[in-house]
Amino acid sequence: PRRRAKLGDRMTVTYILLGFFACAAAMLALGISAVRVLRLPLNRLECLCLGYVLGAPLASTLVLALASLWVARKGVFFAIGILSAVLLWRQLPWLRGLKPAPLDTIPVFFKVLLPLVWVVFGFLYFRFALSPEMSFDGMAYHLGLVNLWNHAHGLLRIKDMYAALPSGMEMLFLFAFAIGRHSSAALLHFSFLMLLPALMVLYGIRFGLPRGSASFAAIVVFVTPLVGWDGSVAYNDVALAVVGLASVYFLQMWRGDR
């Protein structure tokens, strides 16, 4: 029985990680493709970070289409994840050809401190996201509705106040949830938490924020307990902050060269 229990635990963790990676791969593959199609002047690290954000609404819309056709099934999402991984692999030569990010503008102190904080706190947040989902709103409606859609393999009608919510992030949760259930969805939100400080630092580099101020701000935000807790559960607030920052990022780029 102990061996079977350990094997069951390993399989559970495997499916949790597969659900997360399949959805993340789809987002990144679609986002990098969008960067290439739009010919956005980004460096390599910007392409990865902003491409991930760009891929989120594209993947969300794809899941919405599948759910509208009542084919939102685990096998379908597995297939999309595999195709996305292949697409990412095919895009690697193009990605390597981009210019590296000019990280030499970051003071040495923050070059040491920021990665250390990112790894240490990131590991703590990862363990929390991987654990069983216990957040109130995450269980009540963020994943409560996703659970219903997953069982129906499509969009059941919502007849209460939650029908007024956009549910864009919940479509991404549905992708991950269909494979790895609750913790896969929490890990997906966690990925936006890990992305937030990197995006803040890249913003500071591109737009000339002096003396490592963007790195300092990124550390403060990342270690804030409420931000860390929220980003480690199946909510959508940190993802909204990342999308908002990416929108300002692109707007500033557009203001510079139209």
Side-chain angles (χ1 to χ4, degrees):
R2 289 182 179 177
R3 290 179 180 176
R4 284 197 294 268
K6 289 181 179 179
L7 180 61
D9 290 341
R10 290 173 186 168
M11 290 301 295
T12 298
V13 173
T14 299
Y15 275 106
I16 289 172
L17 295 176
L18 280 175
F20 161 66
F21 281 120
C23 186
M27 291 165 56
L28 188 57
L30 290 171
I32 292 177
S33 298
V35 171
R36 295 185 68 179
V37 170
L38 297 173
R39 298 181 180 179
L40 301 179
L42 304 177
N43 60 52
R44 192 181 307 151
L45 196 53
E46 285 178 327
C47 182
L48 287 171
C49 294
L50 290 171
Y52 192 80
V53 183
L54 276 176
L58 297 175
S60 179
T61 304
L62 174 61
V63 176
L64 175 62
L66 295 173
S68 299
L69 296 172
W70 299 89
V71 292
R73 297 175 178 272
K74 180 192 293 187
V76 175
F77 293 129
F78 258 129
I80 294 174
I82 293 171
L83 291 174
S84 300
V86 173
L87 180 58
L88 279 175
W89 177 70
R90 294 292 300 272
Q91 290 175 329
L92 282 179
W94 175 84
L95 192 61
R96 292 195 193 100
L98 297 178
K99 294 187 297 184
L103 301 179
D104 53 323
T105 59
I106 303 175
V108 176
F109 174 76
F110 288 112
K111 280 185 178 180
V112 175
L113 181 61
L114 181 58
L116 180 64
V117 169
W118 192 79
V119 170
V120 172
F121 278 80
F123 178 73
L124 295 175
Y125 298 152
F126 171 77
R127 291 196 62 183
F128 192 73
L130 192 62
S131 63
E133 178 66 30
M134 299 296 290
S135 63
F136 180 78
D137 287 347
M139 295 297 294
Y141 69 91
H142 285 298
L143 297 184
L145 297 174
V146 168
N147 186 39
L148 295 176
W149 296 331
N150 180 62
H151 280 294
H153 307 301
L155 294 177
L156 293 175
R157 185 178 179 184
I158 305 173
K159 300 180 180 180
D160 53 26
M161 68 176 186
Y162 298 118
L165 301 180
S167 296
M169 191 67 185
E170 281 71 18
M171 290 295 101
L172 298 177
F173 286 164
L174 177 58
F175 191 134
F177 185 95
I179 300 173
R181 296 298 186 267
H182 299 74
S183 294
S184 285
L187 282 175
L188 194 62
H189 195 213
F190 158 80
S191 68
F192 285 92
L193 173 63
M194 297 299 289
L195 184 62
L196 181 57
L199 207 54
M200 293 175 70
V201 170
L202 289 173
Y203 184 93
I205 293 173
R206 175 171 282 271
F207 301 109
L209 300 184
R211 300 179 184 176
S213 55
S215 300
F216 176 74
I219 292 172
V220 171
V221 170
F222 194 62
V223 302
T224 300
L226 182 59
V227 176
W229 178 87
D230 188 293
S232 304
V233 297
Y235 282 17
N236 56 17
D237 309 281
V238 173
L240 177 62
V242 171
V243 171
L245 176 57
S247 300
V248 173
Y249 204 118
F250 283 124
L251 179 61
Q252 288 287 73
M253 290 177 61
W254 174 81
R255 288 182 65 189
D257 58 13
R258 291 297 191 269

